Structure formats: C-alpha cells, structure tokens
Amino acid sequence: MHDPVHQEAYQGHTIKIYHDPDTESPREWSNLGTLICWHRRYRLGDSHQFDNPEAFLRDLSGVSALRELSIEQLRDRAARKAILLPVFLYDHSGLAMNTIGFHCPWDSGQVGFIYVTLAAVRTEFGVERVTKALREKAEDILRGEIVSYDAYLDGRVYGYVIEQDGEEVDSCWGFVGDYELDCLLEARHAVPDHEPKQSTNSDMAQAHP
C-alpha cells in the first residue's frame, strides 16, 4: 500500500487516508443521466452505438437522416424531448471534465453530452409534467454526475483505514471527490464505534453481587 495522503491521531486512534486505485467508475452507479462521449484515444462515459454527435442527436430527437438540419437545429429538437447538457474534456497531464468548458482552447473541447429524457424524469420523480423547477433540479443532478466522473478521471478517489495500537480496526473505500469533504469526516465518525467499552458501577455490581 502506498503512503497515506493524510494521517491524523483522533480519539486514541490513527486515521490514514489513501488513494483508492481499484474503485469502480461512477458511471457504474445508478445514475439519472446517460453520458455519451466521442474520443479517439479514450473510452469515456457510458457505452453507446452512435458514430458521431449528429447520429446521436437525430436518434434522440427522432429526426430522420433524410432531413438536412444543422447540429444546432438538431440539438434544439433534442432539447424538446430531453434535458441535455454539453460535456467538455481537458486533456493535459491528466483528464478533467465539466459542463461549462475550459479556458484553454488547445487542450480542451466538447467531447459529448449528458442527458436524460423528459419521459425518464417524469418516471423518476413520479410526475406528469416537468416543470421549470424540476428541470433545474435534473440539470443539477446531471452536473453532479459530471463532478463525480471528473474526480474519478483525476484520481480523486480515496479510502480510510482506522488503526488502534498499530492494528487495523476498520476501513472503507470508494469515496469520490476531495477527501476532506467525505472520506475524512466519515472516518472520524466511525472511530467511536471502536472505543473500548468502559466498565460502569452497575456492571461491576452485576459481576460481583
């Protein structure tokens, strides 16, 4: 095991935070959105059968290949049936992904889309109509899925090990994102579960009547 990225003493225990090299992709989770990407060197997002963005947008919008429409027009048609966000990739000494784009025009560009159909939103939330507020909520969920995938691509996945007197007493892995936000807090929360039970006067009285 590599050296921990963080180590601290906490309530008589030692917490060690490590990079998790064996975690599954967040795209294996139960996601609201589907992430469709095209890249010559990397396999990104969810598996799909579309050769290019035009084929995907035509399928999503239900527009025949015989109709001559621009990519922008196809995207507008697709937006009538789905919540659709662009996805951008930055490729320089590592990979980064977001839905708003990067400042570097040479090492970044749009790599695909993340989307959810309006029918799937209605099913997921048990409604008959997708309101503006619900659309915004779904968009936030899609952006959150890209945030998690970005952390995965960047290797920001961690696990903790709790030790007491040099012996491992607990561990948990697969925390995606900055370790201070989830992994370390979860580890600190887990420590009291392993505190030795203190004898009380009533315990002693029962043991020695």
Side-chain angles (χ1 to χ4, degrees), residues 16-180:
K16 296 180 180 179
I17 306 295
Y18 295 92
H19 280 288
D20 185 352
D22 300 318
T23 188
E24 66 179 5
S25 166
R27 300 315 304 167
E28 300 297 324
W29 302 349
S30 178
N31 295 293
L32 177 66
T34 301
L35 178 55
I36 304 294
C37 297
W38 297 268
H39 200 283
R40 291 175 295 177
R41 289 184 292 167
Y42 307 121
R43 296 185 64 181
L44 300 167
D46 302 319
S47 61
H48 64 87
Q49 76 278 12
F50 303 108
D51 293 332
N52 51 58
E54 179 179 346
F56 161 69
L57 291 172
R58 285 187 180 277
D59 181 82
L60 184 59
S61 59
V63 175
S64 167
L66 299 178
R67 296 195 60 183
E68 294 186 6
L69 296 176
S70 67
I71 291 293
E72 290 74 17
Q73 289 173 319
L74 289 173
R75 181 175 175 178
D76 289 341
R77 295 292 184 91
R80 300 174 187 176
K81 296 186 177 182
I83 297 171
L84 184 72
L85 298 177
V87 174
F88 301 90
L89 186 73
Y90 177 70
D91 182 5
H92 184 81
S93 300
L95 300 179
M97 184 176 283
N98 67 25
T99 59
I100 60 175
F102 298 90
H103 294 299
C104 178
W106 296 279
D107 296 322
S108 68
Q110 186 173 349
V111 72
F113 300 93
I114 186 168
Y115 77 99
V116 57
T117 65
L118 297 181
V121 172
R122 289 192 291 268
T123 299
E124 176 70 19
F125 293 96
V127 298
E128 296 183 358
R129 186 172 67 91
V130 179
T131 63
K132 179 181 178 181
L134 184 55
R135 177 181 286 270
E136 291 175 350
K137 180 177 181 178
E139 288 179 352
D140 286 342
I141 293 173
L142 297 184
R143 293 188 186 98
E145 291 181 10
I146 296 300
V147 168
S148 295
Y149 194 55
D150 169 68
Y152 169 78
L153 292 176
D154 191 42
R156 287 180 284 119
V157 185
Y158 303 93
Y160 67 75
V161 173
I162 299 173
E163 296 179 354
Q164 186 177 39
D165 299 327
E167 297 292 331
E168 180 179 324
V169 295
D170 196 6
S171 66
C172 190
W173 302 87
F175 292 87
V176 178
D178 296 333
Y179 68 82
E180 296 97 334

